[in-house]
Amino acid sequence: MSDKLIIGEEKLENRLFTGTGKFPNQEIIPDTIKAANSEVVTMALRRVNFDTPEKNVINYIPDNCRLLPNTSGARTAEEAIRIAKIARAAGCGNWIKIEVISDNKYLLPDNQETIKATKILAKEGFVVLPYVSPDLMVAKKLEEAGAAAVMPLGAPIGSNRGLKTKELVRILIDEIELPIVVDAGIGKPSQAAEAMEMGADAVLVNTAIATAEDTIAMARAFDRAVKAGREAYLAGTGKVKNKASASSPLTGFLGE
Amino acid sequence: MSYYDTYSKFKNVNFSDYLKQITAQDVTKVLTKDNLDQQDFLTLLAPAASNFLEELAQKAHELTIQHFGRTISLYAPLYVSDYCVNQCSYCGFNVTNDFQRNKLNLSEVEKEAQAIAKKGFKNLLILTGESRTHAPISYLKEVIKVLKDYFPSLTIEIYPLETEEYKELIATGIDGLTIYQEVYDEEIYDQVHVKGPKKNYRFRLDAPERGCQAGMRKVNIGALLGLNNWQEETFWTGLHAQYLQNKYLETEINISVPRLRPHIGSYQPNSIVKNKDLVQIMLAYRLFLPRIGLNLSTRESAQLRDNLIPLGVTKLSAESSTAVGGYAHDKDEKQFDISDDRTVDEVKEMLIKKGYQPVFKCWHRI
Ligand code: SF4
């Protein structure tokens, strides 16, 4: 059975998105992405060296991957929009992950500015994937604004704390039509599996892979966890109930 | 409200008495905490904490990898003018020191820019001696316009400005501000700044905040280690960074740890900061402020720099010349002598060997 994730017009087989930041060197990026089986790879435009192509991070992203430039460093919608346009003009395609962060202590996204940027960029033909704090009303506005997916954080960037926002992300999964990609905070494969079991459409992992002792082995572990989580979700995980439900009902005789 | 209010609250504390009372047990307790308060930070500066450097280092290393990954940003400084109107008793550019002063004209600036850009740098720190007359805002704007074409990120380290002036420079192409208080202790500040506009303690103290208000993306502060006892100065600097970080969320706050270096004057440090002390200082900063940028210049020796990298450093300067026009030509008059004279390629190689990615570009001017 084919189970594809559709973002924009693109059909994706794999539900693990990876990042390119924080790696000890760029040379290990291709093998790591390959081990992760990722088809979508994000990179910070502010780190791209356009005039020294050989050291350009883009060159380390395998050709078959969909480039997802992000607007990291943007503090306002306006800055994010400008970065998105630079990325497109530089030939990075029309996908853009909106990251508007005006808080350097926790690196939490500014949801309001993100909605503004999404509205404008979606109108201009970008496939917009906004990174947000999980909030139902915000996600609805992003839907209206023309986002292609919503990327709620599981925990603050780089915290490796896992799915701390679980209940809120669950609401987004239930209520929002768009794909939900859990981004930030996932520190272990088990946490990625947890997000996928719950029904998230994909997860984005960077720090946990990039800072692992063995990035390739960690990427492979994440790939498997995401696949396992997805499979469990499709199989219909048993509902968690507050009261016990006996496997041999006590009142079954009434139907006899 | 200004950082001066925080400073005033603590300035009469007898730090050395307080620090002496801190026990090993107090330090162990801080080591178990995730979020450190100001008192915990001070505990890490106590003599008792110097027996826990390895434990502190392990934690600092972990936090740095978590927040910054295995990456180190590289930058180069460019001195465009060494005219100075101040008399700082610890500095070679002191107005009373007699040497041939220089100021680059725009074509010289361009030559330096080309020489530095060729080495791969994308982050440039523009420095001047502190003279509004010789390096007025109008001159700096012209310099910025030339450098902008070569470097996507430009930081200034010049005399303190008014908020509006910072805004003007940002509009021209600056995104970062470096300004050191030199010494937070108000009395020592008055003694070592013998004459000149730099004597105005408050105007300098509030300059980083004016930079934040003007919209600088990065603000870098620091105390010149050696002018007063290091525990006190580290405490003030850490609190200053915390004050700015909490109040100006959108600004990336960085701390530098410059130690006094030999220069052409005759000033001897008031307080010696040993290598071990420098380590303790950096570890305390990292544990207290896990997301702060920590900057290490070529004032320190190659060997020491290599060993300090895993302890929390996020930014390094490399192949620096501290003389005006020192990249395109060799020059003698330097603000201070550098200790690590490796080429940028050598520094890059060292970082790679240590398992770090040297990052040249971390901002794209928009
Ligand atoms: S420290 Fe700065 S202000 Fe003081 S003499 Fe040196 S260059 Fe001038």
Side-chain angles (χ1 to χ4, degrees):
Chain A
M1 184 193 79
S2 91
D3 169 39
K4 294 212 165 67
L5 166 62
I6 300 171
I7 293 185
E9 314 240 287
E10 206 128 334
K11 291 192 182 80
L12 302 164
E13 295 282 346
N14 203 281
R15 292 165 184 271
L16 172 59
F17 298 2
T18 44
T20 49
K22 296 188 177 178
F23 278 91
N25 62 65
Q26 298 193 329
E27 287 74 20
I28 60 171
I29 294 177
D31 286 341
T32 307
I33 294 174
K34 219 165 133 204
N37 270 311
S38 278
E39 287 166 85
V40 177
V41 179
T42 184
M43 50 149 218
L45 185 90
R46 67 193 173 96
R47 285 274 175 97
V48 179
N49 263 328
F50 291 109
D51 52 354
T52 38
E54 72 281 9
K55 285 185 220 103
N56 199 334
V57 64
I58 298 175
N59 294 347
Y60 294 95
I61 300 176
D63 288 343
N64 58 348
C65 287
R66 158 58 69 181
L67 219 52
L68 177 57
N70 65 54
T71 64
S72 125
R75 300 177 297 185
T76 60
E78 199 209 338
E79 288 183 350
I81 291 164
R82 271 152 72 190
I83 294 173
K85 288 183 179 169
I86 293 170
R88 186 158 70 177
C92 298
N94 68 339
W95 281 37
I96 190 82
K97 175 180 158 190
I98 304 290
E99 223 178 287
V100 181
I101 293 176
S102 46
D103 143 45
N104 264 291
K105 198 168 168 189
Y106 300 102
L107 299 181
L108 290 171
D110 183 329
N111 284 351
Q112 301 313 318
E113 291 293 298
T114 305
I115 296 170
K116 265 194 245 167
T118 303
K119 226 180 251 169
I120 291 167
L121 290 170
K123 263 200 204 118
E124 297 201 8
F126 281 91
V127 174
V128 185
L129 291 87
Y131 167 61
V132 286
S133 287
D135 177 292
L136 179 60
M137 288 312 145
V138 167
K140 287 201 176 219
K141 282 182 189 155
L142 289 171
E143 217 164 20
E144 268 169 45
V150 178
M151 304 181 85
L153 57 92
I157 293 181
S159 69
N160 288 343
R161 286 179 196 266
L163 212 48
K164 291 291 174 204
T165 56
K166 192 165 181 177
E167 294 311 318
L168 297 170
V169 171
R170 190 197 303 279
I171 294 171
L172 299 195
I173 291 171
D174 288 347
E175 303 298 328
I176 301 294
E177 295 288 324
L178 294 172
I180 302 296
V181 182
V182 176
D183 183 1
I186 304 268
K188 293 180 198 154
S190 55
Q191 295 160 350
E194 186 186 4
M196 296 306 295
E197 279 170 4
M198 200 169 85
D201 296 279
V203 295
L204 191 150
V205 181
N206 183 16
T207 305
I209 295 176
T211 65
E213 287 292 326
D214 183 341
T215 57
I216 294 174
M218 190 56 89
R220 206 180 303 124
F222 267 104
D223 176 39
R224 289 172 180 162
V226 167
K227 288 194 167 106
R230 179 67 185 173
E231 213 170 312
Y233 171 74
L234 292 175
T237 44
K239 289 260 182 296
V240 179
K241 291 179 185 161
N242 290 330
K243 289 176 195 148
S245 65
S247 44
S248 342
L250 297 175
T251 50
F253 66 94
L254 290 175
E256 281 167 13
Chain B
M1 183 60 188
S2 138
Y3 177 60
Y4 190 69
D5 302 312
T6 314
Y7 170 76
S8 306
K9 213 166 76 191
F10 290 96
K11 74 173 171 191
N12 294 321
V13 170
N14 185 330
F15 284 93
S16 64
D17 279 359
Y18 179 85
L19 290 170
K20 267 185 231 145
Q21 295 164 25
I22 295 189
T23 63
Q25 219 180 350
D26 298 329
V27 180
T28 326
K29 212 167 126 202
V30 173
L31 267 163
T32 62
K33 292 177 84 172
D34 275 341
N35 293 310
L36 272 52
D37 60 25
Q38 295 175 344
Q39 199 177 339
D40 298 329
F41 175 46
L42 195 51
T43 301
L44 296 182
L45 299 171
S50 67
N51 298 322
F52 290 87
L53 291 186
E54 183 53 32
E55 286 93 328
L56 295 169
Q58 294 292 347
K59 207 168 166 186
H61 175 67
E62 242 173 65
L63 281 170
T64 313
I65 298 287
Q66 183 192 329
H67 290 293
F68 299 90
R70 292 178 202 276
T71 64
I72 299 277
S73 295
L74 294 173
Y75 70 95
L78 170 61
Y79 285 78
V80 292
S81 161
D82 55 16
Y83 285 93
C84 187
V85 295
N86 288 298
Q87 281 186 42
C88 307
S89 45
Y90 49 83
C91 174
F93 286 179
N94 186 324
V95 66
T96 60
N97 282 333
D98 194 17
F99 65 89
Q100 178 60 47
R101 307 263 167 176
N102 283 301
K103 174 179 153 184
L104 300 181
N105 64 35
L106 296 181
S107 84
E108 289 167 327
V109 168
E110 183 135 28
K111 274 196 200 103
E112 292 284 294
Q114 285 162 347
I116 301 170
K118 228 197 266 159
K119 300 175 200 281
F121 288 106
K122 301 282 173 198
N123 274 317
L124 188 77
L125 173 63
I126 307 167
L127 298 101
T128 63
E130 299 201 12
S131 167
R132 263 187 189 266
T133 336
H134 294 92
I137 303 282
S138 53
Y139 167 71
L140 290 165
K141 279 165 104 174
E142 295 304 315
V143 166
I144 294 164
K145 282 184 203 149
V146 172
L147 294 172
K148 220 153 88 158
D149 288 341
Y150 295 89
F151 305 96
S153 175
L154 292 171
T155 296
I156 39 159
E157 185 174 346
I158 58 167
Y159 49 89
L161 302 183
E162 301 286 358
T163 314
E164 287 308 313
E165 294 172 317
Y166 283 134
K167 280 190 188 156
E168 263 183 69
L169 295 188
I170 292 171
T172 317
I174 287 292
D175 53 72
L177 166 67
T178 290
I179 185 154
Y180 301 150
Q181 184 60 24
E182 321 287 18
V183 58
Y184 281 86
D185 184 292
E186 217 173 338
E187 273 169 40
I188 299 178
Y189 187 92
D190 195 53
Q191 288 158 18
V192 295
H193 298 110
V194 184
K195 244 183 173 172
K198 198 169 174 181
K199 250 195 141 27
N200 189 342
Y201 176 90
R202 278 294 300 271
F203 190 64
R204 192 169 191 91
L205 189 74
D206 292 335
E209 178 155 17
R210 290 195 296 275
C212 294
Q213 285 165 346
M216 289 285 175
R217 312 186 62 84
K218 302 177 279 189
V219 168
N220 186 18
I221 61 169
L224 186 50
L225 298 167
L227 294 179
N228 179 20
N229 93 59
W230 60 263
Q231 284 95 340
E232 225 173 287
E233 290 299 316
T234 304
F235 184 67
W236 297 130
T237 312
L239 259 52
H240 196 180
Q242 186 193 36
Y243 168 86
L244 295 171
Q245 193 181 47
N246 288 345
K247 197 163 169 192
Y248 301 96
L249 288 172
E250 67 282 8
T251 313
E252 176 198 304
I253 308 296
N254 296 271
I255 297 179
S256 290
V257 285
R259 280 199 288 185
L260 264 176
R261 298 282 313 151
H263 61 92
I264 60 174
S266 61
Y267 185 83
Q268 286 309 314
N270 266 328
S271 149
I272 303 292
V273 180
K274 300 194 293 281
N275 287 354
K276 197 178 164 199
D277 305 333
L278 185 62
V279 167
Q280 191 171 351
I281 291 168
M282 291 176 51
L283 299 176
Y285 281 143
R286 174 54 70 229
L287 266 57
F288 179 48
L289 302 165
R291 282 215 40 86
I292 216 95
L294 274 182
N295 200 325
L296 195 61
S297 80
T298 50
R299 283 170 183 260
E300 301 300 341
S301 73
Q303 195 216 359
L304 183 64
R305 292 218 307 167
D306 294 3
N307 287 308
L308 291 176
I309 284 165
L311 304 184
V313 175
T314 59
K315 290 191 176 113
L316 282 182
S317 56
E319 207 175 330
S320 306
S321 168
T322 62
V324 174
Y327 289 96
H329 313 99
D330 258 350
K331 287 277 166 73
D332 282 340
E333 299 82 17
K334 299 173 176 137
Q335 193 188 24
F336 57 86
D337 289 339
I338 61 167
S339 284
D340 180 352
D341 52 11
R342 288 176 292 185
T343 65
V344 65
D345 284 334
E346 286 167 334
V347 173
K348 248 163 69 183
E349 205 176 299
M350 171 277 291
L351 286 172
I352 293 166
K353 245 192 223 141
K354 285 185 100 69
Y356 283 84
Q357 181 190 158
V359 172
F360 283 92
K361 184 167 173 250
C362 53
W363 179 241
H364 191 98
R365 185 174 299 111
I366 51 172

